[in-house]
């Protein structure tokens, strides 16, 4: 009798752990008329983002004058953002096309893994780009040594590998939780906070891991970026030429806009020790850094750059010849 009771308890525990086999993503909107318009808008933004970033990667790879540290990092950023937007956009578009989207548990965790990996990589890449600009403006004589190819490759590799490592830890913690139902996520992709809200087990340890990683990655990279830009600002203010100051400030302002938008949204969502209840606000902020910034970054960082514009014009002449 005791054996049967124990077996029954184990069966119930197993059932509770494996009860949720899939999650339902509500998406951005459940209203049919709005969904149709949003589908056209976001599909256009997605295709435009892919086109812009593909163009940047092609220009950086095919023009020797763009084989510089700054463009090396920009090429990495463009590659990352093509992957980044391709992780979240399919479920967003599917939800707008068909309504609430059903995603298997393994598919949800896979999406979460790549999303966390890419967002952590982007944070460290933005910090590396800020450091590159700091060395170029504040220590120009040491630039060839401090930003030699080996250093650039090391910074980029550590960004990608660091993102993968953090994602393995965080995804493993979230996947190990029990999800007994309900299984409805008020979001357009599998994100950390909505999943924690659905867990039927104690999530304090997982929240602590999530919070510590957010502090290290988000706040750490933001501190590096802001320190670099403060030093750049001081150096620029000391420049004797007004034209040089204007050019430097214009470049830094563009970078700071991207950094400010990206970090403001991500820190508000992820660098908090508790789960977020305002999921509608969460979705709006998620759209900003998963859709808007990947589309705007190529324009802000590259297509306004004279060297990139020159390479683009030559490419267009070659293709039309």
């Amino acid at each position: 009798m005791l054996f049967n009771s124990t077996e029954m308890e184990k069966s119930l525990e197993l059932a509770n752990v494996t009860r949720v086999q899939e999650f339902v993503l509500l998406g951005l909107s459940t209203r049919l008329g709005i969904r149709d318009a949003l589908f056209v808008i976001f599909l256009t933004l997605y295709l435009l983002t892919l086109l812009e970033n593909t163009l940047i990667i092609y220009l950086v790879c095919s023009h020797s004058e763009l084989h510089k540290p700054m463009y090396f990092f920009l090429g990495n950023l463009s590659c990352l953002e093509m992957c980044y937007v391709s992780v979240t956009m399919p479920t967003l578009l599917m939800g707008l096309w068909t309504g609430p989207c059903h995603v298997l548990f393994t598919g949800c965790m896979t999406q979460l893994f790549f999303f966390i990996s890419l967002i952590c990589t982007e944070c460290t890449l933005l910090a590396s780009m800020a450091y590159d600009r700091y060395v170029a403006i504040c220590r120009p004589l040491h630039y060839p040594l401090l930003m030699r190819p080996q250093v650039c490759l090391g910074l980029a590799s550590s960004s990608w590998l660091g993102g993968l490592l953090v994602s393995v830890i965080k995804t493993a913690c979230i996947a190990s939780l029990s999800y007994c139902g309900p299984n409805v996520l008020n979001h357009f992709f599998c994100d950390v906070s909505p999943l924690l809200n659905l867990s039927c087990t104690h999530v304090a340890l997982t929240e602590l891991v999530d919070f510590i990683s957010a502090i290290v990655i988000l706040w750490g990279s933001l501190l590096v970026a802001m320190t670099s830009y403060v030093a750049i600002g001081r150096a620029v203010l000391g420049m004797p030429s007004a034209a040089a100051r204007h050019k430097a400030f214009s470049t830094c302002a563009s970078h700071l806009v991207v950094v400010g938008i990206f970090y403001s949204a991500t820190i508000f969502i992820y660098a908090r020790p508790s789960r977020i209840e305002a999921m509608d606000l969460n979705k709006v902020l998620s759209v900003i850094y998963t859709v808007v910034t990947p589309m705007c970054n190529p324009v802000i960082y590259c297509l306004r750059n004279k060297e990139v514009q020159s390479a683009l014009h030559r490419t267009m002449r070659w293709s039309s010849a």
Side-chain angles (χ1 to χ4, degrees):
M1 187 70 179
L2 178 61
F3 174 80
N4 292 336
S5 176
T6 302
E7 288 296 322
M8 184 177 296
E9 289 177 1
K10 290 182 178 180
S11 298
L12 289 174
E13 289 177 1
L14 183 61
N16 285 336
V17 172
T18 61
R19 185 176 300 169
V20 172
Q21 300 295 327
E22 67 176 15
F23 293 102
V24 180
L25 301 175
L26 293 182
L28 286 180
S29 176
T30 56
R31 297 174 60 182
L32 185 59
I34 296 179
R35 288 208 327 253
D36 293 340
L38 289 178
F39 178 83
V40 175
I41 292 173
F42 282 103
L43 178 60
T44 303
L45 294 178
Y46 179 44
L47 296 177
L48 183 60
T49 300
L50 294 180
L51 177 62
E52 290 175 345
N53 286 287
T54 301
L55 179 60
I56 295 303
I57 294 172
Y58 171 76
L59 292 176
V60 171
C61 293
S62 61
H63 291 78
S64 59
E65 67 271 21
L66 299 183
H67 294 174
K68 300 176 182 179
M70 180 176 71
Y71 301 111
F72 170 76
F73 288 119
L74 289 173
N76 272 267
L77 185 65
S78 291
C79 180
L80 181 144
E81 288 182 335
M82 289 177 64
C83 301
Y84 187 52
V85 74
S86 296
V87 167
T88 58
M89 192 64 81
T91 50
L92 185 154
L93 293 174
M94 189 179 300
L96 293 174
W97 182 255
T98 64
C101 178
H102 294 255
V103 181
L104 292 176
F105 182 87
T106 53
C108 188
M109 292 301 138
T110 301
Q111 184 183 47
L112 178 69
F113 170 78
F114 284 110
F115 172 74
I116 294 175
S117 174
L118 293 170
I119 196 173
C120 291
T121 302
E122 179 154 3
C123 289
T124 48
L125 268 180
L126 289 174
S128 298
M129 292 167 66
Y131 173 73
D132 170 70
R133 292 298 85 201
Y134 158 75
V135 176
I137 294 176
C138 300
R139 305 185 65 182
L141 297 180
H142 298 89
Y143 187 80
L145 176 63
L146 295 177
M147 298 305 297
R148 59 192 183 275
Q150 296 87 339
V151 174
C152 295
L153 184 61
L155 289 173
S157 299
S158 60
S159 296
W160 289 93
L161 294 176
L164 285 173
L165 178 61
V166 172
S167 185
V168 167
I169 297 172
K170 293 181 68 170
T171 305
C173 290
I174 295 173
S176 65
L177 298 174
S178 297
Y179 299 92
C180 310
N183 65 337
V184 178
L185 294 172
N186 185 17
H187 214 318
F188 58 88
F189 69 97
C190 295
D191 201 358
V192 175
S193 293
L195 286 169
L196 292 181
N197 284 334
L198 292 186
S199 175
C200 57
T201 53
H202 195 56
V203 297
L205 178 60
T206 303
E207 286 186 332
L208 180 61
V209 171
D210 181 49
F211 181 63
I212 292 175
S213 63
I215 291 295
V216 173
I217 299 295
L218 293 178
W219 287 106
S221 59
L222 178 60
L223 179 62
V224 172
M226 294 308 299
T227 301
S228 299
Y229 285 125
V230 168
I232 290 172
R234 291 178 178 176
V236 170
L237 289 175
M239 292 179 178
S241 170
R245 287 196 302 269
H246 176 75
K247 180 179 179 181
F249 270 126
S250 177
T251 302
C252 292
S254 299
H255 292 193
L256 283 173
V257 167
V258 173
V259 170
I261 293 174
F262 176 81
Y263 279 106
S264 297
T266 52
I267 286 176
F268 181 84
I269 292 178
Y270 297 107
R272 296 175 56 169
S274 61
R275 291 172 285 183
I276 294 176
E277 303 296 338
M279 283 299 147
D280 288 335
L281 176 60
N282 194 357
K283 287 193 289 187
V284 172
L285 292 174
S286 297
V287 168
I288 292 175
Y289 67 82
T290 60
V291 179
V292 177
T293 54
M295 182 194 66
C296 295
N297 281 354
V299 177
I300 294 175
Y301 279 121
C302 291
L303 299 182
R304 296 175 65 244
N305 182 285
K306 290 184 177 180
E307 287 183 306
V308 175
Q309 289 178 353
S310 176
L312 178 60
H313 291 156
R314 287 200 304 275
T315 299
M316 293 176 65
R317 287 199 299 268
W318 294 339
S319 60
S320 61

